[in-house]
Amino acid sequence: MNIAHWLQRAALQYPDRPAIAHGTDVWCDYRGLAQRAARGATWLRSQGVMPGERVAIFLVNTPEYLPLMWAAWWAGVATVPINAKLHPKEAAWIAAHSGCQRIFCDEAVREAVQAELGDTGHAALALSTFDFLGDDRLALAAIEPRTDADPVWLFYTSGTTGRPKGVNLSMRQLRWACMGYLSMVQSVSPGDAVLHPAPLSHGSGMCHLPYVLHGGVNVVPRSGGFDAAECLALAAHWTRASLFAAPTMVRRLVDVAKTQGRRPQGLATICYGGGPMYLADIEEALAVVGPHFAQIYGQGECPMMITALPRTMINDPSQPRYRERLASVGFAQSMVEVSIRDSEGVELPTGEMGEICVRGDVVMNGYWNQPEATAAAIVDGWLRTGDVGRLDEDGFLTLLDRSKDMIISGGSNIYPREVEEALLTHEAVAEAAVVGRHDAEWGESVVAFVVVHQGVTAQELDAHCLSQIARFKRPKHYRFVSELPKNHYGKVLKTSLRTMDQEGCSA
Ligand code: AMP
C-alpha cells in the first residue's frame, strides 16, 4: 500500500480540519494538504522524477516540509530527509549516495549544495521554487501504487565507519512505528496537536504520521526550531498538544516553565528520547511541568521505538520499583521482541548485561546500497543495536552504555570518526582522537585530543572544522598532547582518553 492513502483518507474524513499550522495560524487543512500532495506529484512527474526514485529534503522545519514529503510519496517517490544542521558538503554526499533526483533546500545553502553536487545531473531547488505545491493549474495526480516493501523514507544516520548510512524504511516499518506510538505513547483524536520544534528529518517527522492518520494538526513553530517559551505558548494555544523532545530540550522547557511560575497549559504528552534522561531531570520535569511525559528508546534502524515507558507508568509512583523503572527506558513496544545477547549472538539470562538486539516488523529492511553493513547489523533476523543494556524480570530495559564511541550532544549523534577525519585534514595535525565529556546542559560535549607537528591554536582548528563539518559536531574543547594512548595493535584507547580528560578537568 502507498502511505499516501493515509492522507487521502484524512482529507475525505476531516477535509476542513487544520492539517498544518505555522505558529498559531492554520497554514492548510486536510483537503488543502492532499491537494498540495496530488499537485506536487504531478509536478514531480513533469520534472522527470519517476516512481521508485528519490528526492532529498534539506530544510529547517517549514510549513512546506510535510507537503513536500507527501507529494513525493503520492508520486511513489521515496524521501531522503537530511538534518538541516549538516554541512552542504555532507548533504550533497547523502543526496548523491541515495541517488536523489532533486534536493529541496533552504535558500541560503542552495548554491553551496549545487556546487557540491557539480554536474551530476542532480538539481538543488530552493524554497522559493516550491510554488508548485499551491499551483491550481496543475492536475491532481492519482496515488501511485506501491508495495509494502518499497522504500518510503531513507533515514541517514551518521556511520561509525565515517560515512553516513541510509536506513531503508518502507510502509511496513512506518506503519508499525506509527502503531507503536498510538499504542504506547499517545492516542490521537481529530484536532489533537503535535508540535514540531525538533527536526522533521528525524523523530519529529516520524511522530507526524499518527497525526495525519487521525486528523491531528501539525504545528511548525515560527522560529523553525526549538524555543522553549514559544513551544509552551503554542501548546497553550492549540491545547491537547504533544511533542517529541530530546532530554536537552526537556531541561530548557523546565527552566522556562520555572520562570513562568505556573504549570504549562495545553500539554498532552512530551515524548522524550534520543539520548539518556537522568533520573533527577525527569523527576524535576514531572514536578515543574506535570504528568505529561512518556519515554521512547529507538534508533533509525528501528524507527521511533524499540522500547517505551508510557505516561501511565511514569505517573504511578505507588509502584514499588517506581524509581528503578523511571531510570529505565521502559519495555518492548508492542510490535517487537527485545533480547540481550553476547558478542556471539547468544541470548543472555535476565539481569545480565549485553548488546540490545531487536526483532520485528519495525526493524529496517537494511542500509541503502550497503549489503555488508546490513549483514553486520542484522544477524539471524535480529538487529544488533550497538547499545548495551540489561532486562529485568518484568521486561524493563536499562540502558547502561551505548555503542562505545558515539557522542550525543543536545540530542544529536556525533560519531568521533567523522570529527577526527575533519581534524586530520589540517596540515598541523598528526593524530586526533575524539571523546565525549559529560555536560550538564548538552548531555555531552566533544573533546578533541590532538597531536600536532607544527604550531596551531584551538581557534585555528575550530575554523578548520567549521569549513568541513556541521557546527554541532565540532569540538568544544581541545587537549594538545604529545602522544595518544594505544594498545598493542596501535588502536587508540578511548577509555584511557576519557579518564585523562576527567583527571584533567578535576585537576
Ligand atoms: P538515532 O539513530 O540517531 O535515533 O540514535 C539512536 C541512539 O540514541 C540509540 O542507539 C541510543 O544509543 C540513543 N538513544 C535513543 N533513545 C534513547 C533513550 N531513550 N535513552 C538513552 N539513549 C537513547
Side-chain angles (χ1 to χ4, degrees):
M1 157 181 174
N2 187 325
I3 196 167
H5 286 292
W6 283 3
L7 172 58
Q8 190 182 48
R9 287 174 204 164
L12 293 171
Q13 288 159 17
Y14 323 107
D16 304 319
R17 285 205 177 267
I20 296 177
H22 199 199
T24 53
D25 299 327
V26 174
W27 192 80
C28 73
D29 57 21
Y30 272 96
R31 183 189 294 109
L33 180 55
Q35 285 176 349
R36 282 171 171 80
R39 292 198 169 105
T42 299
W43 183 85
L44 282 168
R45 190 68 57 77
S46 73
Q47 300 297 301
V49 182
M50 302 310 285
E53 294 187 326
R54 291 152 302 284
V55 294
I57 305 177
F58 181 43
L59 289 170
V60 294
N61 292 359
T62 60
E64 290 87 354
Y65 202 112
L66 297 177
L68 279 172
M69 296 243 256
W70 287 100
W73 295 340
W74 199 285
V77 170
T79 52
V80 185
I82 301 174
N83 183 349
K85 286 192 258 171
L86 291 188
H87 196 280
K89 198 190 277 236
E90 296 167 311
W93 186 90
I94 292 173
H97 182 262
S98 53
C100 282
Q101 297 300 315
R102 296 286 181 282
I103 171 162
F104 297 102
C105 59
D106 281 315
E107 218 79 58
V109 296
R110 196 196 71 80
E111 278 186 25
V113 173
Q114 189 64 64
E116 295 290 346
L117 288 169
D119 299 325
T120 53
H122 304 92
L125 301 172
L127 193 60
S128 56
T129 59
F130 301 171
D131 306 346
F132 62 84
L133 290 170
D135 184 350
D136 54 18
R137 289 166 306 177
L138 287 167
L140 298 170
I143 293 178
E144 190 64 34
R146 298 270 86 194
T147 72
D148 278 7
D150 288 323
V152 176
W153 185 320
L154 298 189
F155 181 103
Y156 270 78
T157 65
S158 297
T160 37
T161 49
R163 285 296 193 186
K165 293 197 282 280
V167 173
N168 174 357
L169 303 173
S170 65
M171 182 63 190
R172 182 166 66 94
Q173 288 82 22
L174 297 178
R175 174 192 294 132
W176 294 121
C178 197
M179 295 309 150
Y181 180 94
L182 291 168
S183 76
M184 295 185 76
V185 175
Q186 173 68 45
S187 61
V188 180
S189 300
D192 286 357
V194 59
L195 313 181
H196 294 296
L200 282 165
S201 55
H202 284 65
S204 220
M206 296 274 169
C207 285
H208 106 274
L209 296 171
Y211 289 82
V212 170
L213 192 59
H214 289 312
V217 52
N218 287 277
V219 182
V220 179
R222 287 268 167 191
S223 65
F226 177 59
D227 174 307
E230 179 187 34
C231 242
L232 295 179
L234 287 174
H237 175 85
W238 288 102
T239 72
R240 304 201 314 268
S242 297
L243 64 144
F244 172 78
T248 326
M249 293 164 69
V250 173
R251 276 197 290 279
R252 295 260 173 93
L253 287 167
V254 169
D255 289 345
V256 169
K258 273 203 246 170
T259 61
Q260 292 179 344
R262 61 183 167 85
R263 280 199 166 181
Q265 304 295 300
L267 280 170
T269 298
I270 298 177
C271 168
Y272 64 90
M277 170 68 94
Y278 299 104
L279 190 56
D281 287 341
I282 184 63
E283 286 181 327
E284 184 182 26
L286 286 164
V288 174
V289 175
H292 298 292
F293 292 90
Q295 182 180 197
I296 58 174
Y297 154 62
Q299 55 178 206
E301 287 83 346
C302 184
M304 270 207 295
M305 71 190 98
I306 296 168
T307 64
L309 189 61
R311 220 170 49 175
T312 44
M313 297 216 166
I314 293 185
N315 296 335
D316 182 13
S318 68
Q319 225 290 327
R321 290 160 70 185
Y322 174 69
R323 294 192 82 234
E324 212 177 298
R325 287 185 173 184
L326 198 55
S328 79
V329 292
F331 52 92
Q333 73 118 315
S334 332
M335 315 297 162
V336 300
E337 291 169 85
V338 171
S339 106
I340 304 295
R341 298 185 171 237
D342 68 12
S343 54
E344 308 297 318
V346 177
E347 186 161 20
L348 294 169
T350 304
E352 275 195 35
M353 176 173 122
E355 184 169 13
I356 301 166
C357 295
V358 54
R359 179 167 76 172
D361 279 339
V362 198
V363 172
M364 66 168 176
N365 296 314
Y367 295 112
W368 185 253
N369 280 345
Q370 283 183 287
E372 280 161 24
T374 304
I378 303 177
V379 181
D380 296 333
W382 289 90
L383 169 72
R384 310 191 64 137
T385 62
D387 291 321
V388 177
R390 74 172 127 67
L391 282 168
D392 71 13
E393 54 274 29
D394 300 328
F396 284 78
L397 178 69
T398 299
L399 222 64
L400 299 166
D401 203 351
R402 47 178 192 270
S403 44
K404 279 278 185 278
D405 293 345
M406 190 172 80
I407 299 167
I408 302 184
S409 186
S412 295
N413 295 349
I414 302 170
Y415 286 89
R417 173 82 179 263
E418 266 188 293
V419 186
E420 289 159 7
E421 280 176 359
L423 282 167
L424 287 166
T425 59
H426 192 286
E427 57 186 6
V429 176
E431 286 184 280
V434 162
V435 291
R437 178 190 291 177
H438 176 70
D439 184 298
E441 187 179 8
W442 296 101
E444 282 185 295
S445 59
V446 177
V447 185
F449 282 80
V450 282
V451 179
V452 295
H453 43 52
Q454 67 187 66
V456 67
T457 63
Q459 288 79 1
E460 284 166 341
L461 290 180
D462 190 48
H464 179 72
C465 284
L466 273 174
S467 70
Q468 300 288 315
I469 49 172
R471 283 189 89 79
F472 72 93
K473 295 181 187 170
R474 72 198 214 279
K476 290 232 174 13
H477 316 276
Y478 283 91
R479 311 277 309 261
F480 292 91
V481 290
S482 56
E483 59 178 298
L484 295 173
K486 294 188 185 132
N487 68 9
H488 294 313
Y489 302 103
K491 215 168 135 34
V492 175
L493 294 166
K494 295 260 169 127
T495 322
S496 307
L497 284 177
R498 287 190 199 101
T499 312
M500 277 165 65
D501 189 45
Q502 274 166 11
E503 285 167 0
C505 286
S506 55

